[in-house]
Amino acid sequence: MDTTKNVLIVDDEADLADLIEFYLKSDGYQVFKYYNGQNALDCVDTTRIDLALLDVMLPDIDGFELCRRIRKDHSFPIIMLTAREEELDKVTGLTIGADDYITKPFRPLEVMARVKAQLRRYTRYNTGNIRETEEGKVIQISGLFIDRTNHECFLNDKKLSLTPTEFEILWTLCSHRGQVVSAEKMFAEIWGEKYYSNSSSTIMVHIRHLREKMGEDAEHPKYIKTVWGVGYRIG
């Protein structure tokens, strides 16, 4: 069975796209590189893609719209590449379905680390490679039911449509129910990376999106509680 991972790069900065392509190919990835959104969409429709790196500023379809269109039919990880540092851009990307973002300028090795972390989680999410005991594969808390074996989540018998990252965050919180999970611990368990100060905003946006899907009141959430200055817990 072919285990080569296919990575899509969409960036109209040719030199930067070529540099990322070089590092990915050197590490054994198959790369599909495009300088505009439409060609990238055509590729996604005909090719198995395992992860996408999308620039926000593209000549035809902006990266956010490209992410939206991809998310309609595909669940593979998406990492947004943006030269803008406004928090709104980061929030927008994560809210519409991106799994992570990297602000330019960045080091190629940072991109490689993020790519590997996302692929590890996505592979684990889709293959059911679970280490928990049989009793630990399903968690039920009040009206919340989360099944890691089938990667399904229900709230009051209504199925929630979660991205792989959102599922992992909710599973992590549920599996540590009764405990406060720090942002550092969550980032280490889910992203498999060292925690940095700007990592908290990534987690905050995913938590916010989870609450929205669960119909939670942001001021008085029933399930995902914020313990200010410490972390999050399932209430």
Side-chain angles (χ1 to χ4, degrees):
M1 181 177 65
D2 183 12
T3 59
T4 302
K5 299 298 183 183
N6 296 333
V7 177
L8 173 68
I9 302 173
V10 190
D11 197 320
D12 62 342
E13 294 184 54
D15 291 344
L16 183 59
D18 292 346
L19 180 63
I20 298 174
E21 178 186 33
F22 171 79
Y23 274 85
L24 287 168
K25 283 188 172 181
S26 297
D27 215 19
Y29 295 97
Q30 175 71 35
V31 176
F32 297 84
K33 180 181 62 178
Y34 299 96
Y35 304 125
N36 64 72
Q38 188 55 58
N39 287 343
L41 285 174
D42 294 339
C43 173
V44 170
D45 287 340
T46 59
T47 308
R48 190 203 84 233
I49 298 297
D50 297 294
L51 179 142
L53 294 159
L54 309 181
D55 185 29
V56 170
M57 302 298 292
L58 294 171
D60 53 351
I61 307 169
D62 70 60
F64 295 141
E65 178 60 23
L66 182 57
C67 180
R68 287 190 190 96
R69 294 190 190 184
I70 290 174
R71 273 290 172 259
K72 289 180 180 179
D73 301 302
H74 304 279
S75 61
F76 55 74
I78 296 175
I79 300 175
M80 304 299 297
L81 307 176
T82 175
R84 298 181 290 183
E85 297 185 356
E86 286 86 349
E87 190 67 21
L88 180 60
D89 287 339
K90 300 171 183 177
V91 171
T92 299
L94 295 173
T95 299
I96 63 178
D99 296 278
D100 202 356
Y101 60 84
I102 304 176
T103 303
K104 300 177 183 178
F106 47 72
R107 294 172 298 151
L109 291 180
E110 177 188 5
V111 176
M112 294 301 300
R114 299 287 188 91
V115 166
K116 291 178 180 178
Q118 289 294 334
L119 285 173
R120 279 198 303 270
R121 184 164 68 256
Y122 183 65
T123 300
R124 186 169 65 244
Y125 179 90
N126 282 279
T127 59
N129 183 18
I130 303 166
R131 298 181 181 179
E132 287 79 7
T133 62
E134 188 67 31
E135 294 76 13
K137 291 179 182 179
V138 173
I139 297 176
Q140 188 165 4
I141 302 173
S142 187
L144 179 64
F145 178 88
I146 183 167
D147 180 349
R148 192 165 191 181
T149 304
N150 297 308
H151 299 284
E152 292 182 333
C153 183
F154 294 85
L155 181 58
N156 297 323
D157 296 324
K158 180 182 178 181
K159 187 173 183 179
L160 300 179
S161 179
L162 305 180
T163 67
T165 301
E166 291 164 356
F167 186 95
E168 286 296 328
I169 288 175
L170 191 56
W171 177 266
T172 298
L173 290 173
C174 288
S175 62
H176 292 87
R177 59 193 180 281
Q179 307 172 35
V180 177
V181 182
S182 68
E184 291 87 347
K185 179 179 179 64
M186 194 179 302
F187 207 78
E189 288 194 12
I190 298 172
W191 274 262
E193 298 179 18
K194 182 179 178 181
Y195 177 86
Y196 296 97
S197 58
N198 63 350
S199 303
S200 62
S201 61
T202 300
I203 294 174
M204 286 174 61
V205 173
H206 283 300
I207 292 289
R208 183 187 309 167
H209 206 201
L210 257 175
R211 284 173 173 159
E212 289 175 356
K213 291 185 176 183
M214 296 171 72
E216 292 259 74
D217 181 346
E219 297 297 325
H220 305 286
K222 177 181 177 181
Y223 291 97
I224 304 177
K225 308 281 189 179
T226 300
V227 181
W228 295 107
V230 185
Y232 302 91
R233 67 178 174 83
I234 287 290

